[in-house]
Amino acid sequence: MAAARPRLSAGRETSDERAMEPAGGEQRELLIQRLRAAVHYTTGCLCQGVAEDKGVLFSKQTVAAISEITFRQCENFARDLEMFARHAKRSTITSEDVKLLARRSNSLLKYITQKSEELASSNMEQKEKKKKKSSAAKGKRTEENETPVTESEDSNMA
Protein backbone atom coordinates (compact mmCIF):
# COMPACT_ATOMS: atom_id res chain seq x y z
CA MET A 1 0.00 0.00 0.00
CA ALA A 2 1.41 3.37 -1.02
CA ALA A 3 1.90 6.02 1.61
CA ALA A 4 -0.32 9.06 1.31
CA ARG A 5 1.61 11.98 -0.07
CA PRO A 6 1.70 15.12 2.06
CA ARG A 7 -0.11 18.11 0.63
CA LEU A 8 2.12 21.14 0.34
CA SER A 9 -0.51 23.50 -0.97
CA ALA A 10 -3.50 24.49 1.08
CA GLY A 11 -6.98 24.48 -0.30
CA ARG A 12 -7.80 23.58 -3.89
CA GLU A 13 -5.23 22.17 -6.25
CA THR A 14 -4.55 24.15 -9.39
CA SER A 15 -5.11 22.68 -12.84
CA ASP A 16 -1.31 22.49 -13.26
CA GLU A 17 -1.03 20.36 -10.12
CA ARG A 18 -3.84 18.07 -11.28
CA ALA A 19 -2.32 17.71 -14.75
CA MET A 20 1.06 16.93 -13.19
CA GLU A 21 -0.33 14.29 -10.81
CA PRO A 22 -0.37 11.17 -13.00
CA ALA A 23 3.06 11.66 -14.55
CA GLY A 24 4.61 14.04 -12.02
CA GLY A 25 3.39 12.44 -8.81
CA GLU A 26 6.52 10.33 -8.56
CA GLN A 27 8.70 13.31 -9.39
CA ARG A 28 6.99 15.36 -6.69
CA GLU A 29 7.57 12.56 -4.17
CA LEU A 30 11.25 12.48 -5.12
CA LEU A 31 11.52 16.23 -4.65
CA ILE A 32 9.86 16.04 -1.24
CA GLN A 33 12.16 13.17 -0.28
CA ARG A 34 15.22 15.18 -1.35
CA LEU A 35 13.98 18.20 0.59
CA ARG A 36 13.44 16.08 3.70
CA ALA A 37 16.95 14.68 3.33
CA ALA A 38 18.39 18.19 3.01
CA VAL A 39 16.54 19.34 6.14
CA HIS A 40 17.77 16.24 8.00
CA TYR A 41 21.36 16.82 6.88
CA THR A 42 21.26 20.50 7.87
CA THR A 43 19.69 19.64 11.23
CA GLY A 44 22.46 17.10 11.82
CA CYS A 45 25.13 19.69 11.02
CA LEU A 46 23.54 22.24 13.35
CA CYS A 47 23.22 19.68 16.15
CA GLN A 48 26.85 18.68 15.66
CA GLY A 49 27.92 22.33 15.97
CA VAL A 50 25.87 22.79 19.13
CA ALA A 51 27.25 19.53 20.52
CA GLU A 52 30.82 20.73 20.01
CA ASP A 53 30.11 24.15 21.53
CA LYS A 54 28.09 22.96 24.53
CA GLY A 55 29.67 19.57 25.12
CA VAL A 56 26.41 17.63 24.76
CA LEU A 57 25.49 14.71 22.53
CA PHE A 58 22.46 14.30 20.27
CA SER A 59 21.19 10.82 19.51
CA LYS A 60 20.22 9.89 15.95
CA GLN A 61 16.60 9.70 17.07
CA THR A 62 16.77 13.22 18.50
CA VAL A 63 18.23 14.63 15.27
CA ALA A 64 15.55 12.79 13.27
CA ALA A 65 12.79 14.14 15.52
CA ILE A 66 14.09 17.71 15.28
CA SER A 67 14.36 17.48 11.51
CA GLU A 68 10.84 16.03 11.18
CA ILE A 69 9.36 18.75 13.38
CA THR A 70 11.25 21.37 11.38
CA PHE A 71 9.98 19.98 8.08
CA ARG A 72 6.38 19.90 9.28
CA GLN A 73 6.64 23.43 10.66
CA CYS A 74 7.97 24.63 7.30
CA GLU A 75 4.98 22.99 5.60
CA ASN A 76 2.69 24.89 7.98
CA PHE A 77 4.55 28.14 7.29
CA ALA A 78 4.24 27.59 3.54
CA ARG A 79 0.51 26.94 3.85
CA ASP A 80 0.01 30.04 6.03
CA LEU A 81 2.03 32.25 3.68
CA GLU A 82 0.01 30.99 0.73
CA MET A 83 -3.22 31.76 2.56
CA PHE A 84 -2.08 35.27 3.52
CA ALA A 85 -1.29 36.06 -0.11
CA ARG A 86 -4.52 34.48 -1.35
CA HIS A 87 -6.52 36.44 1.23
CA ALA A 88 -4.96 39.64 -0.13
CA LYS A 89 -5.96 38.46 -3.64
CA ARG A 90 -2.31 38.09 -4.67
CA SER A 91 -0.51 35.16 -6.24
CA THR A 92 2.88 36.27 -4.89
CA ILE A 93 4.02 35.98 -1.29
CA THR A 94 5.54 39.28 -0.12
CA SER A 95 7.70 40.34 2.79
CA GLU A 96 4.54 41.65 4.45
CA ASP A 97 3.18 38.10 4.51
CA VAL A 98 6.40 36.89 6.15
CA LYS A 99 6.14 39.66 8.75
CA LEU A 100 2.55 38.62 9.44
CA LEU A 101 3.70 35.03 9.92
CA ALA A 102 6.41 36.15 12.36
CA ARG A 103 4.14 38.44 14.38
CA ARG A 104 4.05 36.14 17.44
CA SER A 105 7.82 36.26 17.91
CA ASN A 106 8.91 39.82 18.69
CA SER A 107 12.62 39.14 18.13
CA LEU A 108 12.00 37.36 14.82
CA LEU A 109 9.61 40.08 13.65
CA LYS A 110 12.17 42.76 14.55
CA TYR A 111 14.91 40.88 12.66
CA ILE A 112 12.74 40.34 9.56
CA THR A 113 11.63 43.97 9.57
CA GLN A 114 15.24 45.15 9.84
CA LYS A 115 16.37 42.92 6.96
CA SER A 116 13.37 43.97 4.87
CA GLU A 117 14.23 47.64 5.37
CA GLU A 118 17.89 46.96 4.48
CA LEU A 119 16.82 45.22 1.27
CA ALA A 120 14.43 48.02 0.36
CA SER A 121 17.14 50.62 0.96
CA SER A 122 19.64 48.64 -1.11
CA ASN A 123 17.12 48.27 -3.94
CA MET A 124 16.41 52.01 -3.93
CA GLU A 125 20.14 52.79 -4.13
CA GLN A 126 20.55 50.42 -7.07
CA LYS A 127 17.57 51.97 -8.88
CA GLU A 128 19.00 55.46 -8.36
CA LYS A 129 22.38 54.36 -9.74
CA LYS A 130 20.71 52.83 -12.80
CA LYS A 131 18.64 55.98 -13.29
CA LYS A 132 21.75 58.19 -13.11
CA LYS A 133 23.62 55.96 -15.57
CA SER A 134 20.74 55.89 -18.04
CA SER A 135 20.17 59.66 -17.82
CA ALA A 136 23.90 60.31 -18.27
CA ALA A 137 23.98 58.01 -21.28
CA LYS A 138 20.89 59.72 -22.76
CA GLY A 139 22.51 63.10 -22.21
CA LYS A 140 25.63 62.02 -24.11
CA ARG A 141 23.53 60.63 -26.96
CA THR A 142 21.51 63.83 -27.37
CA GLU A 143 24.69 65.95 -27.35
CA GLU A 144 26.22 63.73 -30.03
CA ASN A 145 23.06 63.82 -32.17
CA GLU A 146 22.73 67.59 -32.05
CA THR A 147 24.85 69.26 -34.72
CA PRO A 148 25.99 72.80 -34.12
CA VAL A 149 24.18 75.44 -36.18
CA THR A 150 26.51 77.58 -38.25
CA GLU A 151 25.88 81.16 -39.30
CA SER A 152 25.21 80.18 -42.91
CA GLU A 153 22.49 77.74 -41.84
CA ASP A 154 21.10 80.34 -39.44
CA SER A 155 20.79 82.91 -42.23
CA ASN A 156 18.98 80.39 -44.44
CA MET A 157 16.28 80.05 -41.83
CA ALA A 158 15.33 83.70 -41.97
Side-chain angles (χ1 to χ4, degrees):
M1 186 166 123
R5 75 173 177 86
R7 274 183 68 113
L8 294 181
S9 62
R12 296 171 288 175
E13 291 182 338
T14 64
S15 60
D16 291 338
E17 288 173 334
R18 275 184 257 123
M20 191 174 77
E21 261 321 297
E26 290 177 17
Q27 186 178 9
R28 181 181 169 103
E29 286 297 323
L30 288 174
L31 289 173
I32 291 171
Q33 187 178 9
R34 287 180 60 196
L35 185 57
R36 279 185 187 274
V39 169
H40 184 77
Y41 174 78
T42 304
T43 303
C45 291
L46 290 170
C47 287
Q48 188 176 14
V50 169
E52 291 170 3
D53 289 347
K54 304 292 182 182
V56 296
L57 295 176
F58 290 90
S59 68
K60 289 181 180 182
Q61 294 86 1
T62 302
V63 173
I66 293 170
S67 67
E68 182 62 26
I69 290 168
T70 301
F71 190 83
R72 288 183 186 185
Q73 189 64 41
C74 287
E75 285 180 319
N76 290 336
F77 287 163
R79 234 178 270 113
D80 288 347
L81 288 168
E82 185 181 5
M83 286 297 165
F84 294 156
R86 189 179 294 164
H87 179 73
K89 296 184 180 20
R90 288 183 276 106
S91 59
T92 304
I93 293 170
T94 65
S95 59
E96 295 304 313
D97 298 322
V98 177
K99 290 176 191 175
L100 186 60
L101 181 70
R103 70 189 180 277
R104 292 188 183 128
S105 171
N106 290 332
S107 59
L108 181 60
L109 180 59
K110 183 178 177 181
Y111 180 80
I112 290 172
T113 302
Q114 177 188 358
K115 290 298 178 185
S116 176
E117 289 170 357
E118 288 174 12
L119 282 172
S121 173
S122 175
N123 287 342
M124 290 298 290
E125 289 172 5
Q126 288 177 355
K127 285 181 182 179
E128 288 175 12
K129 286 179 183 177
K130 285 182 182 179
K131 197 181 262 188
K132 286 179 183 177
K133 284 182 181 179
S134 65
S135 64
K138 286 179 183 177
K140 286 181 181 178
R141 277 188 251 136
T142 55
E143 288 174 7
E144 292 171 0
N145 292 340
E146 291 178 3
T147 56
V149 178
T150 61
E151 282 187 35
S152 61
E153 290 174 353
D154 198 23
S155 62
N156 291 337
M157 287 184 186

